[in-house]
């Protein structure tokens, strides 16, 4: 979801600059990162001496923030170990707690956050967004399959509904969702969902649904 920090029982929305980008990157990585790696991430086309000065200034501004007192900065590396929804999501996946993982996903990673003049960071963030979404997508599909195996079709349809909303142009996901609604005895809702999809497809893409979808 959106980029926010929780500190002293208050939600904060730091400005979308390199200071915030560096903090989010450290929180996401959950490990020591070298200064060289951070210099490449934020100043790949800058001479090394200037890039190092830029990083020192950035770290100086970070030290002045009241919510970063526990950041660890050493001569050649730094890290920021904090709790986050991303960390909890990863732990749920690792422990095969798929239901928890599916519920924790709040949307695109750092949604709406796009600092300027940091192309390598933007590239990194885009790749992580894709990987993060795929992890959630795989969890949804696996959880839905487990519900189906137990003939809990309403529960399968419920988790697939979120995936359909996130990927509303994916007809394979739509068919999976509609099939579970049908097995759950919710044919009326399934037809409503299909009609909405059909209209959206015609309006936005001037296209028709696939034959397999129409047959379903």
């Amino acid at each position: 979801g959106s980029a926010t920090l929780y500190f002293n029982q208050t939600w904060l929305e730091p400005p979308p600059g390199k200071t915030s980008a560096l903090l989010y990157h450290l929180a996401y990585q959950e490990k020591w990162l070298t200064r060289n790696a951070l210099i490449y991430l934020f100043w790949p086309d800058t001479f090394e001496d200037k890039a190092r000065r830029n990083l020192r200034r950035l770290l100086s501004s970070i030290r002045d923030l009241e919510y970063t007192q526990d950041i660890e900065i050493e001569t050649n590396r730094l890290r920021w170990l904090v709790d986050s929804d991303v960390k909890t999501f990863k732990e749920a996946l690792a422990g095969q707690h798929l239901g928890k993982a599916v519920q924790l996903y709040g949307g695109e990673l750092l949604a709406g956050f796009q600092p300027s003049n940091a192309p390598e960071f933007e590239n990194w963030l885009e790749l992580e967004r894709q990987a993060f979404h795929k992890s959630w997508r795989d969890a949804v599909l696996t959880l839905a399959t487990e519900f189906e195996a137990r003939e809990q079709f309403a529960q399968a349809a419920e988790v697939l509904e979120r995936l359909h909303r996130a990927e509303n142009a994916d007809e394979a996901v739509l068919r999976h969702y509609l099939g579970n609604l049908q097995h759950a005895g919710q044919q009326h809702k399934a037809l409503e969902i299909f009609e909405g999809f059909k209209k959206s497809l015609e309006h936005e893409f001037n296209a028709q649904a696939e034959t397999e979808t129409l047959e379903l």
Side-chain angles (χ1 to χ4, degrees):
S2 60
T4 54
L5 293 169
Y6 190 69
F7 180 74
N8 278 353
Q9 300 182 329
T10 302
W11 284 104
L12 307 173
E13 295 186 16
K18 286 182 179 178
T19 300
S20 299
L22 175 57
L23 288 174
Y24 295 144
H25 185 68
L26 290 170
Y28 185 83
Q29 295 288 13
E30 302 179 60
K31 63 182 181 181
W32 288 106
L33 296 175
T34 66
R35 291 184 181 237
N36 287 340
L38 296 174
I39 284 172
Y40 175 76
L41 191 66
F42 291 103
W43 301 281
D45 300 321
T46 304
F47 287 115
E48 183 177 351
D49 288 347
K50 183 177 180 181
R52 290 188 180 280
R53 286 196 300 272
N54 290 340
L55 180 58
R56 285 196 295 271
R57 282 195 292 267
L58 194 61
L59 294 178
S60 178
S61 66
I62 284 175
R63 286 192 184 96
D64 293 336
L65 299 172
E66 59 179 347
Y67 49 79
T68 59
Q69 298 308 304
D70 52 353
I71 194 169
E72 300 172 79
I73 301 177
E74 296 184 354
T75 303
N76 296 313
R77 62 180 189 168
L78 59 155
R79 69 177 178 178
W80 194 36
L81 300 180
V82 292
D83 289 328
S84 69
D85 54 353
V86 168
K87 179 180 179 180
T88 307
F89 174 80
K90 290 178 178 179
E91 291 173 346
L93 283 183
Q96 292 298 303
H97 304 301
L98 299 183
K100 181 179 180 180
V102 167
Q103 290 300 318
L104 281 170
Y105 185 79
E108 183 181 64
L109 177 66
L110 295 179
F113 183 78
Q114 208 71 38
S116 59
N117 300 320
E120 288 301 326
F121 176 85
E122 292 176 10
N123 292 337
W124 169 82
L125 181 56
E126 181 56 33
L127 290 174
E128 291 301 320
R129 280 171 172 164
Q130 294 174 14
F132 197 69
H133 178 80
K134 184 180 183 302
S135 296
W136 173 73
R137 186 183 196 277
D138 291 345
V140 169
L141 294 175
T142 300
L143 185 60
T145 300
E146 291 178 358
F147 280 134
E148 290 166 352
R150 297 192 295 267
E151 297 187 358
Q152 296 175 303
F153 301 114
Q155 289 91 329
E158 184 177 347
V159 296
L160 288 166
E161 181 177 9
R162 288 191 63 197
L163 181 57
H164 168 62
R165 288 178 179 174
E167 301 182 5
N168 56 16
D170 189 324
E171 287 198 49
V173 170
L174 173 68
R175 288 192 294 268
H176 199 173
Y177 175 36
L178 296 180
N180 277 281
L181 285 174
Q182 181 183 17
H183 288 305
Q186 301 181 47
Q187 288 90 344
H188 181 70
K189 181 175 181 179
L191 287 170
E192 284 186 346
I193 296 296
F194 169 72
E195 288 300 327
F197 171 79
K198 180 182 176 182
K199 290 178 181 178
S200 175
L201 203 61
E202 292 172 349
H203 178 71
E204 294 183 27
F205 303 103
N206 193 28
Q208 301 295 320
E210 296 173 2
T211 302
E212 190 177 353
T213 306
L214 294 171
E215 289 175 352
L216 175 63

